[in-house]
Amino acid sequence: MRLRTEMPALTGITEWVNGEVNKNDLASKPVLIHFWSVSCGMCKESLPEINKMRETYPDLQIVGIHMPRSQKDTDISSVKETITKYELKHPQGIDNEHNVVDSFENEFVPAFYLFDHEGVLRHRSAGEKALSMLKKPLERVLQPEGATS
């Protein structure tokens, strides 16, 4: 997915946990879409940071998308256990058929897609350093509209 493109629809989710959201629900708000997998160690390491971001940046809407990497990862009860264990309170889409994964053209976990108030992709990063690369773009997107840095 190219920078400055519009957020794709969040359709075709197998099951939602912590509330269902769609693109219209997220309109006019900065949004972080976070792809993760129950079998990904790096993903699990990043989950406490995601929770901290949710508390630190209340204006940021965070949506998790669980992306199975194997048939075993499609076990919904295992995904739900992980969501509970890591206290993920924001909406979580379990995408067993990769519908949202494919619409984002995402291949990696963990992966982060940051959209501005207008639903335009401003940053994407994936892998081990993905979370640290997110800080500056996040601050820019969260600036009050019209403010300059």
Short mmCIF file of all heavy atoms in Angstrom, two decimals, residues 8-46:
data_model
loop_
_atom_site.label_atom_id
_atom_site.label_comp_id
_atom_site.label_asym_id
_atom_site.label_seq_id
_atom_site.Cartn_x
_atom_site.Cartn_y
_atom_site.Cartn_z
N PRO A 8 -8.25 1.54 3.11
CA PRO A 8 -9.20 0.58 2.55
C PRO A 8 -10.32 0.27 3.55
O PRO A 8 -10.19 0.55 4.75
CB PRO A 8 -8.35 -0.68 2.32
CG PRO A 8 -6.94 -0.30 2.53
CD PRO A 8 -6.93 0.97 3.33
N ALA A 9 -11.36 -0.33 3.07
CA ALA A 9 -12.46 -0.75 3.95
C ALA A 9 -11.99 -1.89 4.84
O ALA A 9 -11.11 -2.66 4.47
CB ALA A 9 -13.64 -1.20 3.10
N LEU A 10 -12.57 -1.96 6.02
CA LEU A 10 -12.25 -3.04 6.97
C LEU A 10 -13.37 -4.08 6.90
O LEU A 10 -14.10 -4.30 7.85
CB LEU A 10 -12.12 -2.48 8.38
CG LEU A 10 -11.08 -1.37 8.57
CD1 LEU A 10 -11.14 -0.82 9.99
CD2 LEU A 10 -9.69 -1.88 8.26
N THR A 11 -13.50 -4.71 5.73
CA THR A 11 -14.59 -5.66 5.52
C THR A 11 -14.07 -7.08 5.37
O THR A 11 -12.92 -7.29 4.99
CB THR A 11 -15.40 -5.28 4.26
OG1 THR A 11 -14.52 -5.21 3.15
CG2 THR A 11 -16.09 -3.94 4.43
N GLY A 12 -14.93 -8.02 5.66
CA GLY A 12 -14.58 -9.43 5.51
C GLY A 12 -13.91 -10.03 6.74
O GLY A 12 -13.33 -11.11 6.67
N ILE A 13 -14.01 -9.34 7.88
CA ILE A 13 -13.42 -9.84 9.12
C ILE A 13 -14.18 -11.09 9.57
O ILE A 13 -15.41 -11.13 9.52
CB ILE A 13 -13.47 -8.74 10.21
CG1 ILE A 13 -12.49 -7.61 9.88
CG2 ILE A 13 -13.23 -9.30 11.60
CD1 ILE A 13 -11.03 -8.01 9.93
N THR A 14 -13.45 -12.10 10.01
CA THR A 14 -14.06 -13.34 10.49
C THR A 14 -14.86 -13.10 11.76
O THR A 14 -16.00 -13.56 11.90
CB THR A 14 -12.96 -14.40 10.76
OG1 THR A 14 -12.15 -14.53 9.59
CG2 THR A 14 -13.56 -15.74 11.13
N GLU A 15 -14.26 -12.37 12.71
CA GLU A 15 -14.94 -12.05 13.97
C GLU A 15 -14.28 -10.83 14.59
O GLU A 15 -13.05 -10.68 14.54
CB GLU A 15 -14.86 -13.24 14.93
CG GLU A 15 -15.66 -13.03 16.20
CD GLU A 15 -15.75 -14.29 17.06
OE1 GLU A 15 -15.65 -15.41 16.51
OE2 GLU A 15 -15.91 -14.13 18.28
N TRP A 16 -15.09 -9.96 15.18
CA TRP A 16 -14.60 -8.78 15.89
C TRP A 16 -14.60 -9.06 17.39
O TRP A 16 -15.51 -9.71 17.90
CB TRP A 16 -15.47 -7.56 15.62
CG TRP A 16 -15.23 -6.94 14.28
CD1 TRP A 16 -15.97 -7.15 13.16
CD2 TRP A 16 -14.19 -6.03 13.92
NE1 TRP A 16 -15.45 -6.40 12.11
CE2 TRP A 16 -14.36 -5.71 12.56
CE3 TRP A 16 -13.14 -5.44 14.62
CZ2 TRP A 16 -13.51 -4.84 11.88
CZ3 TRP A 16 -12.29 -4.58 13.94
CH2 TRP A 16 -12.49 -4.29 12.59
N VAL A 17 -13.61 -8.53 18.08
CA VAL A 17 -13.53 -8.59 19.54
C VAL A 17 -13.38 -7.14 20.02
O VAL A 17 -12.67 -6.35 19.40
CB VAL A 17 -12.31 -9.44 19.99
CG1 VAL A 17 -12.20 -9.47 21.51
CG2 VAL A 17 -12.41 -10.85 19.43
N ASN A 18 -14.03 -6.78 21.09
CA ASN A 18 -14.00 -5.41 21.65
C ASN A 18 -14.70 -4.40 20.75
O ASN A 18 -14.34 -3.22 20.74
CB ASN A 18 -12.56 -4.94 21.93
CG ASN A 18 -11.85 -5.82 22.92
OD1 ASN A 18 -12.46 -6.40 23.79
ND2 ASN A 18 -10.54 -5.94 22.77
N GLY A 19 -15.67 -4.83 20.00
CA GLY A 19 -16.45 -3.91 19.19
C GLY A 19 -16.03 -3.91 17.73
O GLY A 19 -14.85 -3.98 17.42
N GLU A 20 -17.00 -3.86 16.87
CA GLU A 20 -16.76 -3.82 15.42
C GLU A 20 -16.60 -2.37 14.98
O GLU A 20 -17.31 -1.49 15.47
CB GLU A 20 -17.94 -4.46 14.70
CG GLU A 20 -17.78 -4.50 13.21
CD GLU A 20 -18.91 -5.27 12.52
OE1 GLU A 20 -19.62 -6.04 13.20
OE2 GLU A 20 -19.07 -5.08 11.30
N VAL A 21 -15.67 -2.11 14.08
CA VAL A 21 -15.52 -0.78 13.50
C VAL A 21 -15.48 -0.90 11.99
O VAL A 21 -15.15 -1.95 11.45
CB VAL A 21 -14.24 -0.04 13.99
CG1 VAL A 21 -14.31 0.28 15.47
CG2 VAL A 21 -12.99 -0.83 13.68
N ASN A 22 -15.83 0.20 11.34
CA ASN A 22 -15.68 0.25 9.89
C ASN A 22 -15.02 1.58 9.54
O ASN A 22 -14.81 2.43 10.40
CB ASN A 22 -17.02 0.03 9.18
CG ASN A 22 -18.03 1.10 9.51
OD1 ASN A 22 -17.72 2.30 9.48
ND2 ASN A 22 -19.25 0.70 9.82
N LYS A 23 -14.73 1.74 8.30
CA LYS A 23 -14.03 2.94 7.83
C LYS A 23 -14.78 4.21 8.20
O LYS A 23 -14.18 5.20 8.60
CB LYS A 23 -13.85 2.81 6.31
CG LYS A 23 -13.00 3.86 5.70
CD LYS A 23 -12.81 3.54 4.23
CE LYS A 23 -12.28 4.72 3.49
NZ LYS A 23 -12.10 4.43 2.08
N ASN A 24 -16.10 4.21 8.11
CA ASN A 24 -16.89 5.40 8.45
C ASN A 24 -16.77 5.76 9.93
O ASN A 24 -16.77 6.93 10.29
CB ASN A 24 -18.36 5.21 8.06
CG ASN A 24 -18.55 5.18 6.56
OD1 ASN A 24 -17.72 5.68 5.81
ND2 ASN A 24 -19.63 4.57 6.13
N ASP A 25 -16.70 4.73 10.79
CA ASP A 25 -16.54 4.98 12.23
C ASP A 25 -15.24 5.72 12.53
O ASP A 25 -15.13 6.43 13.53
CB ASP A 25 -16.50 3.66 13.02
CG ASP A 25 -17.78 2.86 12.93
OD1 ASP A 25 -18.85 3.47 12.76
OD2 ASP A 25 -17.70 1.62 13.04
N LEU A 26 -14.26 5.54 11.69
CA LEU A 26 -12.92 6.09 11.92
C LEU A 26 -12.69 7.42 11.21
O LEU A 26 -11.63 8.01 11.35
CB LEU A 26 -11.87 5.06 11.49
CG LEU A 26 -11.98 3.70 12.18
CD1 LEU A 26 -11.06 2.69 11.52
CD2 LEU A 26 -11.69 3.81 13.66
N ALA A 27 -13.67 7.87 10.44
CA ALA A 27 -13.53 9.10 9.66
C ALA A 27 -13.23 10.29 10.57
O ALA A 27 -13.75 10.37 11.68
CB ALA A 27 -14.79 9.36 8.85
N SER A 28 -12.41 11.17 10.11
CA SER A 28 -12.01 12.43 10.76
C SER A 28 -11.22 12.24 12.05
O SER A 28 -11.14 13.13 12.87
CB SER A 28 -13.22 13.35 10.99
OG SER A 28 -14.00 12.88 12.07
N LYS A 29 -10.61 11.07 12.21
CA LYS A 29 -9.76 10.80 13.37
C LYS A 29 -8.45 10.19 12.88
O LYS A 29 -8.45 9.46 11.89
CB LYS A 29 -10.44 9.78 14.30
CG LYS A 29 -11.79 10.21 14.81
CD LYS A 29 -12.48 9.05 15.51
CE LYS A 29 -13.91 9.39 15.84
NZ LYS A 29 -14.69 8.25 16.26
N PRO A 30 -7.34 10.46 13.58
CA PRO A 30 -6.12 9.73 13.24
C PRO A 30 -6.29 8.27 13.67
O PRO A 30 -6.87 7.98 14.72
CB PRO A 30 -5.03 10.43 14.04
CG PRO A 30 -5.73 11.23 15.08
CD PRO A 30 -7.13 11.44 14.64
N VAL A 31 -5.81 7.35 12.82
CA VAL A 31 -6.04 5.92 13.04
C VAL A 31 -4.73 5.15 12.86
O VAL A 31 -3.99 5.38 11.90
CB VAL A 31 -7.08 5.37 12.04
CG1 VAL A 31 -7.29 3.87 12.22
CG2 VAL A 31 -8.40 6.11 12.18
N LEU A 32 -4.50 4.22 13.78
CA LEU A 32 -3.38 3.29 13.65
C LEU A 32 -3.97 1.89 13.48
O LEU A 32 -4.69 1.40 14.35
CB LEU A 32 -2.50 3.33 14.90
CG LEU A 32 -1.32 2.35 14.89
CD1 LEU A 32 -0.33 2.73 13.78
CD2 LEU A 32 -0.65 2.32 16.25
N ILE A 33 -3.68 1.28 12.33
CA ILE A 33 -4.07 -0.10 12.09
C ILE A 33 -2.84 -0.95 12.37
O ILE A 33 -1.77 -0.72 11.78
CB ILE A 33 -4.56 -0.32 10.64
CG1 ILE A 33 -5.70 0.64 10.28
CG2 ILE A 33 -4.96 -1.78 10.44
CD1 ILE A 33 -7.02 0.38 10.95
N HIS A 34 -2.98 -1.91 13.27
CA HIS A 34 -1.88 -2.72 13.74
C HIS A 34 -2.13 -4.18 13.38
O HIS A 34 -3.09 -4.78 13.84
CB HIS A 34 -1.78 -2.54 15.27
CG HIS A 34 -0.94 -3.54 15.96
ND1 HIS A 34 -1.38 -4.27 17.03
CD2 HIS A 34 0.32 -3.94 15.73
CE1 HIS A 34 -0.42 -5.07 17.44
NE2 HIS A 34 0.62 -4.90 16.66
N PHE A 35 -1.30 -4.74 12.52
CA PHE A 35 -1.40 -6.14 12.14
C PHE A 35 -0.49 -6.97 13.03
O PHE A 35 0.67 -6.61 13.24
CB PHE A 35 -0.99 -6.34 10.67
CG PHE A 35 -1.98 -5.79 9.69
CD1 PHE A 35 -1.91 -4.47 9.28
CD2 PHE A 35 -3.00 -6.59 9.19
CE1 PHE A 35 -2.83 -3.95 8.38
CE2 PHE A 35 -3.92 -6.08 8.28
CZ PHE A 35 -3.84 -4.76 7.88
N TRP A 36 -1.02 -8.06 13.55
CA TRP A 36 -0.25 -8.93 14.43
C TRP A 36 -0.72 -10.36 14.26
O TRP A 36 -1.75 -10.61 13.64
CB TRP A 36 -0.40 -8.47 15.89
CG TRP A 36 -1.79 -8.59 16.46
CD1 TRP A 36 -2.84 -7.75 16.22
CD2 TRP A 36 -2.28 -9.61 17.33
NE1 TRP A 36 -3.95 -8.18 16.91
CE2 TRP A 36 -3.62 -9.32 17.59
CE3 TRP A 36 -1.69 -10.74 17.91
CZ2 TRP A 36 -4.41 -10.13 18.40
CZ3 TRP A 36 -2.47 -11.53 18.74
CH2 TRP A 36 -3.82 -11.22 18.97
N SER A 37 0.05 -11.29 14.85
CA SER A 37 -0.33 -12.70 14.78
C SER A 37 -0.03 -13.38 16.11
O SER A 37 0.98 -13.08 16.75
CB SER A 37 0.43 -13.40 13.66
OG SER A 37 0.01 -14.74 13.56
N VAL A 38 -0.88 -14.29 16.49
CA VAL A 38 -0.74 -15.01 17.75
C VAL A 38 0.56 -15.82 17.80
O VAL A 38 1.10 -16.06 18.88
CB VAL A 38 -2.00 -15.88 18.00
CG1 VAL A 38 -2.04 -17.08 17.10
CG2 VAL A 38 -2.13 -16.27 19.45
N SER A 39 1.10 -16.20 16.67
CA SER A 39 2.31 -17.01 16.62
C SER A 39 3.58 -16.17 16.48
O SER A 39 4.67 -16.72 16.34
CB SER A 39 2.23 -18.01 15.47
OG SER A 39 2.18 -17.33 14.23
N CYS A 40 3.45 -14.86 16.53
CA CYS A 40 4.59 -13.95 16.31
C CYS A 40 5.12 -13.43 17.65
O CYS A 40 4.43 -12.68 18.34
CB CYS A 40 4.13 -12.80 15.42
SG CYS A 40 5.27 -11.41 15.31
N GLY A 41 6.34 -13.82 18.00
CA GLY A 41 6.95 -13.37 19.24
C GLY A 41 7.14 -11.86 19.28
O GLY A 41 6.86 -11.22 20.31
N MET A 42 7.63 -11.28 18.19
CA MET A 42 7.81 -9.81 18.13
C MET A 42 6.49 -9.08 18.33
O MET A 42 6.44 -8.04 18.96
CB MET A 42 8.39 -9.40 16.77
CG MET A 42 9.88 -9.27 16.74
SD MET A 42 10.45 -8.50 15.21
CE MET A 42 9.86 -9.60 13.95
N CYS A 43 5.42 -9.66 17.78
CA CYS A 43 4.10 -9.04 17.92
C CYS A 43 3.71 -8.98 19.39
O CYS A 43 3.27 -7.95 19.89
CB CYS A 43 3.05 -9.84 17.17
SG CYS A 43 3.27 -9.88 15.39
N LYS A 44 3.89 -10.10 20.08
CA LYS A 44 3.52 -10.16 21.50
C LYS A 44 4.36 -9.18 22.32
O LYS A 44 3.84 -8.56 23.25
CB LYS A 44 3.65 -11.58 22.03
CG LYS A 44 2.58 -12.50 21.48
CD LYS A 44 2.75 -13.91 21.96
CE LYS A 44 1.69 -14.82 21.38
NZ LYS A 44 1.93 -16.22 21.72
N GLU A 45 5.63 -9.02 21.97
CA GLU A 45 6.48 -8.05 22.66
C GLU A 45 5.97 -6.62 22.47
O GLU A 45 6.13 -5.79 23.34
CB GLU A 45 7.92 -8.16 22.17
CG GLU A 45 8.63 -9.42 22.62
CD GLU A 45 9.99 -9.59 21.97
OE1 GLU A 45 10.54 -8.61 21.43
OE2 GLU A 45 10.50 -10.73 22.00
N SER A 46 5.37 -6.35 21.32
CA SER A 46 4.90 -4.98 21.03
C SER A 46 3.53 -4.66 21.62
O SER A 46 3.17 -3.50 21.75
CB SER A 46 4.87 -4.75 19.51
OG SER A 46 3.82 -5.46 18.90
#
